[in-house]
Amino acid sequence: MSLAHRRSRSSIIDPAYSATRVVPSIAGLSRFAPLTTSGACWLYGEGDVEAYRMSLTRKRGFSECLNVFHPGLFDRHRHLLLLRHQTTLDRLPRACWAVIRHSGDIKLSINDRLVLRATGTSGPVARRIDLRPFLRVGKNSLSAILGRIDEPAALCIESPLLRTTPEWSSGVDGFHWNAPACFPWVASALFPHQEELPTLRLTGARLADGTIDFGRELIGHLEVSGAGPSAKRPPRLRVGESLAESRNADAAADEQALEVERVGKKRFRSIGRVALRYARFPRTSASATICCDATFHPACYRGAFACSDQRITRIWMASAYTLRLCMQDFLVDGIKRDRMPWVGDLYLALLSNAYSFADAGIVRRTLTALFGDRPEQCHFNGILDYTLYWIVCLDAHVRHFGDVAYARAMWPRVRLLHDALERRRDARGWLVAGAQDWLFLDWVAMDKSGAVAAIQMLHALALGSAARLAGLCDDGDRARILARDASTLRRRCTEAFWDERAGGYVENIDPAGKRSRTLSRHANAFAVIAGVASAAQRPAIARVLLGATAQPMGTPYMMFFESLALARLGEHRRVLSTMSSYWGGMLDRGATTFWEAYDPAQSGGAEYAFYGRPFAKSLCHAWSAGPAALLPAEICGVRPLADGWSSVVIDPRLGDLEWASACVPTPVGDIEIDVQGREARASLPGSIALGRLPARAIRSRSGGRQTLRWTIPREMRR
């Protein structure tokens, strides 16, 4: 366990916390287990499991949450799956058996001879078949056609002759073939696509009025036992992320479905999952026991952060726990609502996940599920800026997880998306919202007509990401075009939106071509992040972001981007002070996870209201988990320079902190850094290259790791 893990233990919130192993256990779960290249496995069509689980996620979200809005067109699982396998035999072995399990109806042939024809079953029934009569010396071809309407079709063949997964291919038309999705076979009564997340049974403390306080945010099924002799009908359930919400008696103000059902004598259980910290079953026996079967995505806290300011350490831990709860089948926005994946939320969740859990699988699943059906007709989640974020997310995924194979598989989709975006530019070359598009950016009142500066800068960032992906996918011509367009757009943004007299970037250019006079905090932050701002403009931009003239950010989502821009402008003290007052302000209100929005001026119950409803604000929202990435990346200064962390930069800037420690997980091992005053020490895997060695660093190697020791120059200690 790293020094940062040990130093941060007093701030742990998560009842399923572990720094050394995956909790809850994935034993018996195929969908979350790592795949090996040999042995029996389940074969699905590419993206079919993600599409099915996405449809299930949306169905449950609309059922369990009362005020849900989740626009967009999403892919659906295929109703027909073709699989084939080829092998060459020098001789016919004595043992030629196979155990076949399948989801859906199946027609299996070997060398064009029918071996099995059967209808699907509710679970993975095993059928043992002797293959010897169908095989021959030389080349052998196996083909399977599977069909299922309600759920994805799948095949699992356990045989000593057909073990290696790379020899399988899947298709839908018999002409175009690619690699199938694979999940390891485990002895389970469920198909992989039917498996649910594991749960932990938790109890809370009873308050004076009978309310149960679980001490932290949770999502799961509530159960009450010993409800009393009069409980002939299900008791009424009240829950809340806040104490005020749990005491709400007006059902019209509920945000979640709270129906319960009888599951035994004097035992009742919520029909759907509920998000809560507090729970009540009014008019039940005082001795009744209330517990929560809380859902947890299997995860290990590989990352850690601790520093001399305990408040900042608590903020990192609460950010990581916020993200942990939003790790469901996919990286979702929040646990009270909408419980669904959104692309903008994904970008922050992806970065925070990379520095805390390093779970590449859930990012890959979310990216796949979010890629829309007919993206040329509908923006991702129906939002213009979220379409751009999908490309940026894919690039960030490859950078942090080294998943080049996934990028290559997705590259045809990126090309399709880029072509669709090019057709959406207006006559002046700006990317603008159509009459039926939603341009979100942030929950603030701002002029979003015409060419919005922050959107054009985000577009430049997406073009740069696409150019890099094209290079990785050996599409050199497209890479050059994209890089040129990104450079041109960055230059045009400065020409169009920079106001020299005002000293910053303005909000937009309206449809008539008139430039706004309003300085935009969003545009100035994105100018830094997207590489639009020149070195000469950076001091003025810093004054805009540090000052109060521009409209403030409206959510922790955009506060992340402002903090990231300030860090890149060298304002690390401001980053820490903002984090302490803004995210720390939520902790002062009793938060154990971070909220969808936060206004320090609100109180008396108004802080929980949103969308015109008294308890609509989500108090556990993935886009608020930004400090989990900001602190190790910008304060401890550990960032990837090349895909999969094959090259890194280590540049700590502690501001007013006396010391800080971090453990950063990478695909090849953990990077540990500890800074005490001006003395710094880092330990990292020997295979990782350092893009820039600290000045006068002492470097040593031992046991496959390298160690650096150096003294931070005084001018960099800020």
Side-chain angles (χ1 to χ4, degrees):
M1 190 180 296
S2 74
L3 179 62
H5 282 99
R6 297 195 300 272
R7 284 175 163 174
S8 62
R9 288 194 65 83
S10 62
S11 299
I12 292 173
I13 306 165
D14 191 344
Y17 179 95
S18 176
T20 56
R21 59 190 176 90
V22 173
V23 177
S25 171
I26 59 174
L29 293 175
S30 177
R31 197 155 58 92
F32 305 102
L35 179 68
T36 60
T37 57
S38 62
C41 65
W42 283 101
L43 304 174
Y44 286 85
E46 182 185 27
D48 277 359
V49 174
E50 290 85 355
Y52 172 73
R53 297 302 300 188
M54 178 66 153
S55 65
L56 196 59
T57 294
R58 298 184 85 222
K59 178 182 177 182
R60 290 173 175 174
F62 283 106
S63 172
E64 296 174 350
C65 306
L66 300 182
N67 299 285
V68 171
F69 178 58
H70 191 246
L73 298 175
F74 300 96
D75 232 341
R76 291 154 291 182
H77 73 269
R78 287 164 285 193
H79 298 158
L80 193 68
L81 173 64
L82 308 182
L83 292 166
R84 68 180 183 181
H85 182 284
Q86 293 182 338
T87 187
T88 300
L89 298 177
D90 296 330
R91 60 183 178 83
L92 292 182
R94 185 170 299 175
C96 289
W97 57 268
V99 175
I100 297 172
R101 302 172 179 87
H102 57 96
S103 169
D105 300 342
I106 184 172
K107 185 168 71 173
L108 177 70
S109 301
I110 296 179
N111 296 325
D112 297 324
R113 296 175 60 191
L114 186 64
V115 176
L116 173 67
R117 184 169 186 169
T119 56
T121 59
S122 59
V125 175
R127 307 176 190 272
R128 187 179 176 94
I129 296 176
D130 183 8
L131 302 180
R132 188 178 178 88
F134 306 96
L135 296 173
R136 62 193 177 202
V137 175
K139 291 184 178 180
N140 292 267
S141 176
L142 179 149
S143 64
I145 302 176
L146 298 108
R148 187 166 184 176
I149 298 295
D150 55 337
E151 296 180 18
L155 174 66
C156 177
I157 298 183
E158 185 180 0
S159 169
L161 296 178
L162 307 170
R163 283 190 177 277
T164 54
T165 56
E167 295 176 4
W168 287 94
S169 54
S170 69
V172 291
D173 59 5
F175 297 100
H176 301 87
W177 299 90
N178 50 36
C182 303
F183 300 89
W185 158 252
V186 296
S188 172
L190 299 173
F191 296 113
H193 67 267
Q194 296 173 333
E195 293 174 350
E196 301 293 346
L197 293 171
T199 62
L200 296 177
R201 175 155 288 198
L202 302 173
T203 57
R206 188 179 295 272
L207 304 182
D209 66 350
T211 301
I212 302 299
D213 178 6
F214 287 94
R216 59 188 62 80
E217 285 267 341
L218 297 170
I219 179 170
H221 289 272
L222 277 175
E223 185 172 305
V224 57
S225 57
S230 62
K232 296 180 180 179
R233 58 183 180 179
R236 186 176 180 225
L237 169 63
R238 309 305 302 162
V239 302
E241 291 187 297
S242 63
L243 194 57
E245 185 180 12
S246 72
R247 290 172 175 168
N248 164 56
D250 182 6
D254 288 345
E255 292 293 327
Q256 304 177 79
L258 301 178
E259 292 85 0
V260 298
E261 60 183 351
R262 186 185 296 275
V263 292
K265 186 177 181 180
K266 297 185 181 180
R267 286 178 56 230
F268 299 89
R269 183 178 175 88
S270 63
I271 295 175
R273 293 187 307 161
V274 288
L276 76 156
R277 173 175 172 172
Y278 302 94
R280 290 190 304 125
F281 281 92
R283 297 186 296 277
T284 58
S285 169
S287 61
T289 300
I290 300 175
C291 61
C292 179
D293 288 329
T295 301
F296 286 96
H297 190 282
C300 173
Y301 282 77
R302 287 185 57 194
F305 176 87
C307 67
S308 54
D309 187 335
Q310 182 64 21
R311 185 178 177 87
I312 298 295
T313 303
R314 288 179 60 209
I315 288 171
W316 187 93
M317 192 65 78
S319 298
Y321 184 54
T322 299
L323 179 65
R324 172 70 181 282
L325 290 184
C326 294
M327 294 168 73
Q328 299 292 315
D329 267 351
F330 309 103
L331 286 162
V332 301
D333 61 339
I335 61 172
K336 182 165 68 178
R337 40 142 289 272
D338 301 312
R339 300 186 192 172
M340 297 184 196
W342 297 74
V343 188
D345 304 63
L346 172 61
Y347 182 57
L348 266 69
L350 183 159
L351 296 177
S352 298
N353 169 43
Y355 280 93
S356 49
F357 304 105
D359 186 337
I362 195 170
V363 178
R364 195 164 49 241
R365 292 195 298 273
T366 310
L367 281 166
T368 300
L370 279 166
F371 195 93
D373 182 24
R374 292 165 289 161
E376 68 280 3
Q377 295 182 22
C378 178
H379 283 296
F380 288 16
N381 294 124
I383 304 175
L384 187 155
D385 28 324
Y386 280 23
T387 297
L388 299 172
Y389 275 123
W390 191 90
I391 301 173
V392 176
C393 284
L394 178 59
D395 183 32
H397 173 68
V398 176
R399 178 61 60 93
H400 289 87
F401 297 103
D403 200 350
V404 177
Y406 180 73
R408 290 179 181 274
M410 291 292 106
W411 176 241
R413 300 188 180 191
V414 179
R415 290 186 58 137
L416 173 68
L417 199 52
H418 172 246
D419 292 342
L421 286 168
E422 288 301 296
R423 292 193 294 271
R424 290 174 182 267
R425 292 200 193 201
D426 68 6
R428 296 171 297 173
W430 300 120
L431 189 62
V432 299
Q436 299 182 26
D437 293 336
W438 180 11
L439 195 160
F440 171 60
L441 198 60
D442 193 9
W443 286 123
V444 293
M446 60 186 298
D447 188 352
K448 298 177 183 178
S449 65
V452 178
I455 294 297
Q456 311 315 313
M457 295 168 185
L458 179 58
H459 188 196
L461 184 64
L463 287 171
S465 291
R468 209 182 74 82
L469 292 168
L472 291 174
C473 298
D474 302 322
D475 193 343
D477 291 341
R478 182 70 67 122
R480 286 186 289 273
I481 293 171
L482 288 163
R484 181 198 63 204
D485 288 353
S487 178
T488 300
L489 185 53
R490 285 191 290 266
R491 174 178 50 79
R492 290 192 65 218
C493 282
T494 294
E495 293 170 352
F497 301 109
W498 177 258
D499 188 327
E500 189 67 37
R501 291 185 62 186
Y505 285 91
V506 297
E507 201 164 71
N508 71 321
I509 296 175
D510 69 18
K514 183 179 179 181
R515 187 171 75 178
S516 169
R517 295 182 179 181
T518 304
L519 286 177
S520 166
R521 190 174 295 272
H522 299 77
N524 282 279
F526 276 98
V528 175
I529 295 166
V532 171
S534 67
Q537 293 170 338
R538 290 165 73 90
I541 291 175
R543 287 192 290 273
V544 173
L545 297 180
L546 293 171
T549 55
Q551 183 184 36
M553 301 297 194
T555 55
Y557 171 50
M558 280 295 144
M559 286 296 291
F560 168 86
F561 290 106
E562 178 180 304
S563 297
L564 180 61
L566 284 169
R568 294 183 179 178
L569 291 169
E571 299 292 341
H572 296 81
R573 286 193 177 93
R574 178 60 175 266
V575 171
L576 289 167
S577 65
T578 297
M579 196 175 292
S580 181
S581 61
Y582 189 78
W583 278 272
M586 288 182 258
L587 295 182
D588 292 341
R589 306 276 179 112
T592 58
T593 52
F594 292 127
W595 305 353
E596 180 178 11
Y598 174 63
D599 183 349
Q602 292 179 330
S603 61
E607 66 266 39
Y608 306 128
F610 217 47
Y611 308 113
R613 303 192 301 273
F615 302 107
K617 186 177 293 178
S618 165
L619 303 192
C620 177
H621 222 68
W623 76 14
S624 303
L630 277 171
L631 288 165
E634 303 300 331
I635 301 304
C636 287
V638 183
R639 300 183 294 276
L641 290 178
D643 296 335
W645 297 83
S646 58
S647 176
V648 302
V649 61
I650 301 178
D651 183 22
R653 303 294 180 96
L654 266 57
D656 294 324
L657 297 175
E658 296 175 4
W659 59 264
S661 302
C663 179
V664 177
T666 81
V668 294
D670 296 343
I671 299 173
E672 297 181 32
I673 181 171
D674 179 46
V675 183
Q676 303 279 343
R678 292 176 54 209
E679 300 304 314
R681 179 185 182 277
S683 172
L684 59 159
S687 61
I688 295 180
L690 284 155
R692 184 175 65 250
L693 273 173
R696 298 181 181 178
I698 300 173
R699 190 176 187 177
S700 60
R701 291 179 177 270
S702 177
R705 292 186 67 84
Q706 53 184 319
T707 301
L708 299 175
R709 298 178 184 273
W710 73 100
T711 300
I712 301 173
R714 291 186 185 277
E715 64 273 14
M716 296 175 64
R717 180 65 167 82
R718 58 176 181 148

